[in-house]
Amino acid sequence: MPTSQDPVELLWRKEEPEPRPGLSVGRIVRAAIELADAEGLEGLSMRKVADRLGFTTMSLYRHVPGRDQLVDLMRDEVMGEHPELPPEREGWRARLETIARQAWEIRRRHPWLAELRGTRHLPGPHGIAHYDAMLATLTGTALRPSEVIAAIGLLGRFVDAEALVLVETRHEEQRSGVSEQEWWGARDSLYERLDRYPALSHLWESGGWDAPEDSFEFGLRRLLDGIEALIREREETRDETCRECGKPLEPTAPSGRPRVYCSRACQQRAYRKRKDG
């Protein structure tokens, strides 16, 4: 039967036993993932997926409305590859680091994930579960709710940016037939001009490029360090600033309970944000 044309309904569909030997959304998605793993998103088309499955292109459209919806389905499918998180007793940093490394490994297996650009890719159940797990690692810390969301967004963008470098490097090597190391090694005429730049020359002569830092490992550590420093800062002022605007609070409310907001207006703004969000 034709699949609902609503992309949300398609992503959040209830999984059913696959017909044999006919087509299904699950089979189409898995074939598309295999194709994108091999050729990237540039090589992905409904026709190629149909050929891979041995069906006509039109038969695919009875299950998936188009390529955009197929890409969203593929993304959510591979997001389901995240294993379970370590227990909470290991602390927020260990859990968040584990999630970041899992996301990195998934993007190494499926480089096309990093090619997804834009902000309007609908999330499915696996994607939402992954995002919720990331948010949960920092929920309950001294960070404000908006800071939890901002920190997780920053970490996610970092992983995607690092993965995109791998994709672009691989693309250039495949296009040119020349490795990254070989290409830069043949730029002697450029290097001859660099001695006029003192900082660059100093770092070169000091061996800064002989054993470069792993950019993912370096960046991940520094991001986690920054989040940790902010949590410590917030713990020092946890009951002293308004969660909404950050202004100083009176030490204790008349009821004896710790204050959360500096004014009724901030409390109402925070309520509306939660309601509208």
Side-chain angles (χ1 to χ4, degrees):
M1 291 182 60
T3 299
S4 168
Q5 297 297 304
D6 183 337
V8 175
E9 291 293 333
L10 181 61
L11 272 165
W12 290 78
R13 72 196 186 284
K14 181 179 179 181
E15 294 288 350
E16 298 179 356
E18 294 187 346
R20 296 181 180 275
L23 274 177
S24 68
V25 173
R27 285 179 179 160
I28 293 169
V29 171
R30 287 192 294 274
I33 290 170
E34 291 174 0
L35 181 61
D37 286 349
E39 301 184 23
L41 287 184
E42 188 177 274
L44 179 70
S45 68
M46 298 293 278
R47 180 187 60 78
K48 285 186 177 181
V49 175
D51 290 346
R52 197 178 190 93
L53 291 166
F55 286 86
T56 65
T57 305
M58 288 306 299
S59 64
L60 265 63
Y61 287 112
R62 289 197 290 270
H63 298 270
V64 180
R67 186 181 183 278
D68 289 345
Q69 291 79 12
L70 178 58
V71 170
D72 285 341
L73 286 163
M74 293 161 57
R75 181 177 184 271
D76 196 63
E77 180 73 15
V78 300
M79 294 297 280
E81 296 177 11
H82 281 278
E84 291 187 7
L85 281 177
E88 289 190 20
R89 64 176 178 271
E90 295 195 13
W92 71 263
R93 178 161 181 154
R95 298 174 76 233
L96 191 54
E97 181 177 350
T98 295
I99 288 181
R101 293 189 185 283
Q102 290 171 356
W104 178 241
E105 288 305 316
I106 286 175
R107 281 157 180 77
R108 288 171 67 90
R109 291 197 296 270
H110 308 291
W112 52 268
L113 268 177
E115 297 182 71
L116 294 176
R117 316 308 296 166
T119 59
R120 297 189 179 183
H121 290 281
L122 285 170
H126 292 138
I128 291 293
H130 171 61
Y131 184 52
D132 186 71
M134 293 182 74
L135 294 173
T137 62
L138 293 177
T139 300
T141 67
L143 295 183
R144 302 184 187 119
S146 60
E147 291 172 337
V148 170
I149 296 168
I152 294 305
L154 178 62
L155 184 60
R157 288 190 295 274
F158 163 72
V159 174
D160 281 336
E162 286 296 306
L164 187 58
V165 173
L166 296 182
V167 171
E168 292 173 342
T169 299
R170 188 178 75 165
H171 176 75
E172 287 299 319
E173 290 179 341
Q174 290 175 340
R175 182 189 61 80
S176 66
V178 178
S179 72
E180 191 81 350
Q181 186 175 5
E182 290 171 336
W183 192 89
W184 283 106
R187 306 277 82 82
D188 290 342
S189 60
L190 170 65
Y191 303 139
E192 291 170 357
R193 291 169 167 81
L194 300 184
D195 58 358
R196 71 191 72 172
Y197 301 97
L200 198 156
S201 296
H202 168 72
L203 293 172
W204 178 271
E205 293 166 1
S206 300
W209 276 274
D210 293 345
E213 293 280 342
D214 182 306
S215 61
F216 175 78
E217 293 295 333
F218 182 84
L220 179 60
R221 288 195 300 270
R222 299 294 76 80
L223 273 175
L224 294 175
D225 288 347
I227 294 171
E228 189 169 3
L230 182 58
I231 288 176
R232 285 198 300 267
E233 178 184 328
R234 288 287 173 266
E235 285 174 342
E236 293 172 359
T237 60
R238 189 167 195 160
D239 297 323
E240 300 174 8
T241 58
C242 174
R243 287 186 182 178
E244 179 63 22
C245 70
K247 291 181 180 178
L249 293 173
E250 294 294 329
T252 307
S255 64
R257 292 177 296 179
R259 290 184 183 273
V260 176
Y261 303 104
C262 67
S263 66
R264 181 69 174 170
C266 276
Q267 184 179 23
Q268 291 174 341
R269 277 197 297 272
Y271 172 76
R272 285 196 295 270
K273 285 181 181 178
R274 290 195 300 271
K275 184 179 178 182
D276 295 342

